Amino acid sequence: MKELIASLISSAVSQLQSEGVVSVDATINIMVENTRDKSHGDFASNIALTLAKSAGMPPRKLAELICAKIEMKDGVEKTEIAGPGFINFFMSAASSFEVVKTVLNAGNKFGHNNLGNGQKVQVEFVSANPTGPLHVGHGRGAAVGDSICRLLAANGWDVTREFYYNDAGQQITNLALSVQARCKGLTPEDDCWPEDGYRGDYIADLADSFMKGDSIVSADQHFKGTGNAEDLEAIRHFAVAYLRREQDLDLKAFDVDFNMYFLESSLYTDGKVEATVQTLIDNGFAYDKEGALWLRTTEFGDDKDRVMRKTDGGYTYFVPDVAYHLDKWQRGFTRVINEQGADHHSTVTRVRAGLQALKKNIPEGWPDYVLHQMVTVMKGGEEVKLSKRAGSYVTLRDLIEEVGRDATRYFLVARAPSSQLTFDIDLARSQSNDNPVYYIQYAHARICSILRKLEEISPSWTSDNGLNNLDKLTVDEEKLLANKLARFPETVTIAGEQSAPHQIANYLHDLASEFHAYYNNHKTIVEDPDLRDARVSLACAIRQTLANGLDLLGVSAPETM
């Protein structure tokens, strides 16, 4: 419909240009938007306001001339001028309900498009250190990142999902020392417990598994415990493999998969960190100062230069990130999205500066970042801060066990990543209209119940009769629902372009709300078979759209509740 209206406006403006009313040099930017108040029509355009200056007349006068040139075609019922010069378009009922046929014909592909044209995009998300169970922040990253991948795929991109394991550095050493201490019978209460050691119960379980000689198989590693409490290197390898397996199980329970697992340690063993640093030196962007090696990040917009190699010879954390992203670029990913916690914001400028300093023709502002804010977990009106298993934080598994996968995923993705999130366990567990995921899923299940009842009454029912009688749909709520369905493809497009899956969550809640209100006010299975079938066809289109949207969030669409 928007494309139809835009073409009608374009034709009208071209005629006015040929008559000299609008300058042929004027920049024509036709915007067609959905109206919020349906008494103002279905769509509106501000074209008269944008062209008024070039036409040398008030916007309302130009709007009148444009409307006079617009050819009424099938689907457009009338136009009206509103306010300072907006043109409102009222669509015919028949055109509004065409979307029902579109939805049912497209099925689970409704809302999908090919805007990405099969181009490669890599999305890195979760990327948790293998030092403990996944916490609720990782869960938000998993929910947002996975939904971004689903949205990109729906928009025609060839998506690669990647998990970057920080399996090198001091944190891994602290992990190994903690497990070793447990292997020797120490507890966190002992004076000789490692100063920066990990204290959760999972460390004791890990140590017990190592001492028993268990074999661990994770996504890409296989390691067997030696039972030797003095072999710190064996403990380190075992601990990383063990916790990676635990994280794999958490992600599987969350229905999140990856195409690629990348090890930070490989950047060192393959010489990529050293090669990257040498390139930065050769390009003249590095210098020595006070025994450390610095990068001139101020050359690329940073507020001060940054240390790359410390006085003890170790690299600061952003250096392997630069090497890692060079590797992404060399693998052919011209578009990369990193979904990470907001605590990574300080590395964005440094990584991008390092990539520019490599002089590899990497675009400025590459890669893209989606940074999510922290999550506060509430239960019984109080904040939940600790997990017995982890010792210091709420784990993703805690949430899944408390409220289920669907509610966990929906709640973690339902707000913009840039917003702080309060996860209310009591609300997520409730079976009420206040629980948004329950409310949406119930709308889907309710329509499935209508279909089951219809099949009992009329087993031979098909949608054909309903689609042939859509003109029977005359109440205002029915047209509102049809217009809402028509907005789904655009919502998918925008949410994909903006890496904003919360827009899908908001859309689904609005659609469910409009359906529940309609259901409560109007019977679907009425005596008139033509009206009945038309209403059922509309309901089927709503059900399909709800299912498609929930799938983009990784949430199920139950048939019964």
Side-chain angles (χ1 to χ4, degrees):
M1 291 295 103
K2 285 187 175 183
E3 292 175 1
L4 170 63
I5 292 170
S7 68
L8 295 177
I9 294 173
S10 178
S11 176
V13 171
S14 294
Q15 292 181 57
L16 292 176
Q17 284 180 311
S18 67
E19 295 173 6
V21 176
V22 176
S23 171
V24 293
D25 297 324
T27 300
I28 310 299
N29 184 19
I30 300 173
M31 299 289 292
V32 179
E33 302 291 344
N34 296 290
T35 58
R36 294 185 178 181
D37 185 347
K38 291 306 171 184
S39 66
H40 297 157
D42 299 294
F43 301 99
S45 177
N46 66 347
I47 186 65
L49 283 79
T50 63
L51 291 180
K53 185 175 181 179
S54 68
M57 65 179 68
R60 280 190 68 93
K61 176 61 177 177
L62 180 57
E64 291 173 2
L65 296 178
I66 292 173
C67 287
K69 297 291 184 181
I70 289 178
E71 180 184 355
M72 293 295 112
K73 290 195 173 183
D74 290 343
V76 181
E77 200 167 74
K78 66 176 181 176
T79 61
E80 284 184 357
I81 301 169
F86 291 99
I87 302 176
N88 294 337
F89 292 80
F90 294 76
M91 311 305 291
S92 68
S95 67
S96 295
F97 291 109
E98 279 297 310
V99 69
V100 175
K101 298 178 182 178
T102 301
V103 175
L104 297 184
N105 287 334
N108 60 12
K109 295 300 181 183
F110 176 63
H112 291 212
N113 60 69
N114 194 36
L115 291 174
N117 198 30
Q119 297 176 81
K120 291 175 62 177
V121 58
Q122 186 233 46
V123 183
E124 180 205 333
F125 60 109
V126 183
S127 294
N129 296 334
T131 54
L134 296 179
H135 56 60
V136 65
H138 296 135
R140 191 175 193 188
V144 173
D146 184 62
S147 293
I148 288 173
C149 292
R150 291 168 183 255
L151 278 166
L152 288 168
N155 281 290
W157 289 83
D158 179 6
V159 183
T160 295
R161 302 152 172 260
E162 187 150 316
F163 191 124
Y164 177 68
Y165 274 109
N166 299 96
D167 65 333
Q170 187 59 45
Q171 288 181 317
I172 301 300
T173 299
N174 294 339
L175 171 67
L177 290 172
S178 304
V179 177
Q180 185 180 51
R182 280 288 192 179
C183 289
K184 293 180 176 181
L186 300 176
T187 69
E189 288 71 36
D190 291 319
D191 292 338
C192 51
W193 185 260
E195 182 178 354
D196 295 317
Y198 294 92
R199 297 170 175 268
D201 286 357
Y202 71 94
I203 297 294
D205 296 337
L206 203 166
D208 182 61
S209 184
F210 175 81
M211 295 303 290
K212 289 192 301 185
D214 289 344
S215 292
I216 302 298
V217 179
S218 64
D220 61 353
Q221 286 193 0
H222 179 216
F223 205 86
K224 181 177 175 62
T226 66
N228 181 2
E230 300 300 328
D231 191 344
L232 186 62
E233 188 64 13
I235 291 174
R236 185 184 75 81
H237 284 296
F238 184 85
V240 169
Y242 181 98
L243 289 171
R244 288 183 60 184
R245 183 188 65 179
E246 291 293 295
Q247 292 178 359
D248 291 343
L249 293 173
D250 288 342
L251 292 169
K252 183 177 181 180
F254 212 40
D255 194 24
V256 173
D257 296 309
F258 290 89
N259 306 109
M260 175 77 177
Y261 292 87
F262 195 102
L263 300 180
E264 179 188 1
S265 58
S266 70
L267 295 169
Y268 293 94
T269 57
D270 295 345
K272 293 181 178 180
V273 172
E274 287 290 343
T276 297
V277 172
Q278 189 59 50
T279 300
L280 295 172
I281 294 172
D282 293 343
N283 289 347
F285 291 107
Y287 62 92
D288 289 305
K289 178 183 175 182
E290 300 174 351
L293 182 66
W294 294 66
L295 180 65
R296 299 183 194 277
T297 54
T298 52
E299 296 277 343
F300 305 96
D302 202 358
D303 58 342
K304 61 181 179 180
D305 292 343
R306 305 291 175 173
V307 173
M308 284 198 296
R309 188 167 57 220
K310 297 175 288 187
T311 55
D312 63 5
Y315 291 108
T316 53
Y317 57 88
F318 86 92
V319 177
D321 278 356
V322 175
Y324 173 44
H325 284 84
L326 174 60
D327 181 86
K328 293 185 182 184
W329 178 259
Q330 291 172 335
R331 280 187 271 155
F333 293 114
T334 55
R335 184 180 183 193
V336 166
I337 300 171
N338 292 342
E339 203 294 335
Q340 297 171 325
D343 56 331
H344 287 78
H345 76 277
S346 60
T347 68
V348 174
T349 302
R350 300 172 205 182
V351 170
R352 286 174 173 169
L355 292 169
Q356 290 302 300
L358 291 172
K359 294 186 175 180
K360 299 288 187 181
N361 296 318
I362 298 174
E364 292 185 27
W366 186 94
D368 296 328
Y369 284 87
V370 175
L371 302 180
H372 65 260
Q373 292 290 336
M374 66 179 294
V375 181
T376 301
V377 180
M378 303 291 291
K379 185 177 183 181
E382 296 182 354
E383 183 178 352
V384 181
K385 293 185 177 181
L386 304 179
S387 162
K388 184 176 186 297
R389 180 164 166 263
S392 58
Y393 55 83
V394 179
T395 69
L396 174 59
R397 194 173 298 180
D398 291 334
L399 285 187
I400 296 174
E401 290 175 354
E402 283 274 2
V403 305
R405 186 194 72 192
D406 284 347
T408 302
R409 286 195 63 136
Y410 183 91
F411 272 67
L412 290 176
V413 82
R415 288 180 61 84
S418 58
S419 301
Q420 292 194 354
L421 174 66
T422 298
F423 192 112
D424 189 330
I425 288 178
D426 297 322
L427 176 61
R429 293 180 63 180
S430 69
Q431 296 186 357
S432 70
N433 292 343
D434 293 330
N435 179 350
V437 66
Y438 175 85
Y439 191 59
I440 295 166
Q441 289 180 316
Y442 184 49
H444 184 273
R446 204 170 214 178
I447 297 171
C448 292
S449 176
I450 292 172
L451 292 175
R452 287 193 295 270
K453 184 176 180 180
L454 178 60
E455 288 172 1
E456 293 176 3
I457 298 171
S458 178
S460 61
W461 176 85
T462 67
S463 63
D464 290 345
N465 188 54
L467 295 178
N468 290 330
N469 285 281
L470 293 175
D471 59 337
K472 297 283 187 178
L473 302 177
T474 57
V475 300
D476 289 342
E477 293 100 317
E478 290 164 342
K479 187 175 181 182
L480 287 173
L481 282 165
N483 287 340
K484 192 69 179 181
L485 293 176
R487 295 185 187 184
F488 183 64
E490 181 183 20
T491 303
V492 173
T493 298
I494 295 173
E497 290 174 346
Q498 298 180 357
S499 298
H502 67 281
Q503 295 184 14
I504 300 296
N506 293 338
Y507 171 90
L508 292 174
H509 191 268
D510 289 346
L511 178 59
S513 179
E514 290 185 19
F515 169 73
H516 285 306
Y518 170 70
Y519 178 90
N520 291 332
N521 292 328
H522 303 280
K523 287 184 64 176
T524 304
I525 301 180
V526 293
E527 291 186 8
D528 180 348
D530 292 341
L531 175 59
R532 177 200 68 191
D533 292 356
R535 286 183 171 178
V536 171
S537 293
L538 174 61
C540 286
I542 295 168
R543 179 186 69 160
Q544 184 67 65
T545 304
L546 288 170
N548 292 2
L550 287 169
D551 183 66
L552 291 173
L553 304 181
V555 177
S556 70
E559 296 188 2
T560 59
M561 292 180 70

